[in-house]
Amino acid sequence: MVARERILEVALKLFRTYGVKGVTMFDIARDCGMSKKTVYEHFSDKQSLINEGMEQMINGHSAAFQETQTTAENAIDELVRNMKYITSMARSFNPVMLFEIQKYHPDTWNKIENFQRNCILYGITENLKRGMSEGLYRQNLDLDIIARMRQLQLDAAFDQLQYPVDKFEMPVVMEQVTAHFILGIATIKGHKLVNQYLQIKEEE
C-alpha cells in the first residue's frame, strides 16, 4: 500500500502542475523512483490513476470544508477561511488540468461536477443561511440565486478562458472576487468583520 500511495501522490502532484494530457506513466514512474512495471502493477492505466487521484482530491476538499464549517467562529470567518484554503491550493494548481479532464475524461469530469453540486453549492447555501441567522448577511438574499452566483465565481477563477494564466494569478483573482462577493451580501455589522478578516480599510 505504501508504493500505491506514493504513486498516487506523485501522479496527483504532476497532474496539478502540468495537466493530465502531457503526463505519462513513464513520468510518474521516474518521479516515484520506480520502474514503469511497478506502477502498472498498482494501476492498470493512466485513466485509473486520474480517477483515483481526482477522487482523493475531492475527498480532501470535502473534509477541509467540513472542518472549517465546524470550527469557524461565524459565517464570514468560514467563508474567508475557505477562500484562503482554495487560494493556497491554487498556488500549486494548473487550471489546465480541469480543462483537460473536462475535454478528454468526461466520466471523471462528471464526478467533479457532482462534487460541485453536492458539496460546493450545498456548502455555499448553508453558509448563506448561517450568515443571515447571525445578522451578518442581508435578510433579503435569494439563496438559490446568490449561491449559484458564488459557484460561478469560483468556477470562473479556474477557467483559463476567463482568466488566462499568462495574464492573471489565480490567488489574486480568488481574493478579489471573494472580497467583492462578501461585501455585496454583508450587513453593516458584517462589513466590520469583513474589513477585519480581509484587512480592508474603507474610505470614510
Side-chain angles (χ1 to χ4, degrees):
M1 285 302 294
V2 174
R4 181 180 178 84
E5 290 169 3
R6 172 65 178 161
I7 294 167
L8 193 57
E9 177 187 5
V10 168
L12 196 51
K13 181 179 179 181
L14 290 174
F15 294 154
R16 285 199 305 258
T17 305
Y18 303 108
V20 297
K21 194 170 186 290
V23 175
T24 67
M25 296 294 268
F26 174 79
D27 295 328
I28 296 166
R30 181 195 59 214
D31 280 35
C32 286
M34 303 175 183
S35 67
K36 195 161 67 169
K37 179 182 177 181
T38 302
V39 174
Y40 276 112
E41 286 174 356
H42 294 279
F43 295 94
S44 59
D45 52 25
K46 192 170 80 171
Q47 180 63 58
S48 63
L49 257 174
I50 292 171
N51 286 340
E52 195 161 333
M54 291 307 103
E55 185 174 345
Q56 184 181 90
M57 190 175 73
I58 286 170
N59 290 340
H61 294 340
S62 297
F65 293 142
Q66 182 61 50
E67 192 272 339
T68 299
Q69 184 183 49
T70 303
T71 60
E73 294 180 359
N74 53 65
I76 292 176
D77 181 33
E78 178 188 344
L79 191 54
V80 171
R81 285 170 61 179
N82 280 337
M83 178 206 71
K84 290 180 178 178
Y85 170 78
I86 294 171
T87 301
S88 175
M89 177 196 68
R91 293 186 190 279
S92 61
F93 183 92
N94 188 340
V96 75
M97 183 186 79
L98 292 180
F99 176 78
E100 290 179 349
I101 289 175
Q102 183 178 14
K103 185 173 182 179
Y104 302 110
H105 305 275
D107 290 342
T108 306
W109 181 251
N110 285 338
K111 294 179 181 179
I112 294 173
E113 285 191 317
N114 287 335
F115 167 71
Q116 291 173 333
R117 285 192 300 268
N118 299 330
C119 180
I120 300 296
L121 186 60
Y122 174 79
I124 295 170
T125 303
E126 290 302 300
N127 177 266
L128 290 172
K129 291 178 182 177
R130 178 179 182 178
M132 292 167 73
S133 70
E134 293 171 340
L136 300 176
Y137 298 162
R138 293 185 287 108
Q139 295 299 310
N140 63 342
L141 299 177
D142 185 309
L143 292 176
D144 191 40
I145 293 175
I146 301 302
R148 290 172 187 274
M149 182 184 76
R150 175 57 176 165
Q151 186 178 36
L152 287 171
Q153 286 182 336
L154 296 175
D155 290 345
F158 286 90
D159 188 343
Q160 63 175 349
L161 297 178
Q162 299 297 325
Y163 297 104
V165 293
D166 60 335
K167 293 183 178 179
F168 299 95
E169 294 183 15
M170 189 191 300
V172 176
V173 173
M174 190 64 67
E175 289 170 2
Q176 287 288 307
V177 298
T178 299
H180 181 271
F181 174 75
I182 305 179
L183 290 171
I185 64 174
T187 60
I188 294 176
K189 177 183 175 183
H191 268 234
K192 294 179 180 178
L193 278 177
V194 174
N195 293 339
Q196 175 186 326
Y197 285 125
L198 295 180
Q199 299 181 333
I200 297 173
K201 185 176 181 180
E202 290 191 348
E203 296 179 1
E204 299 293 339

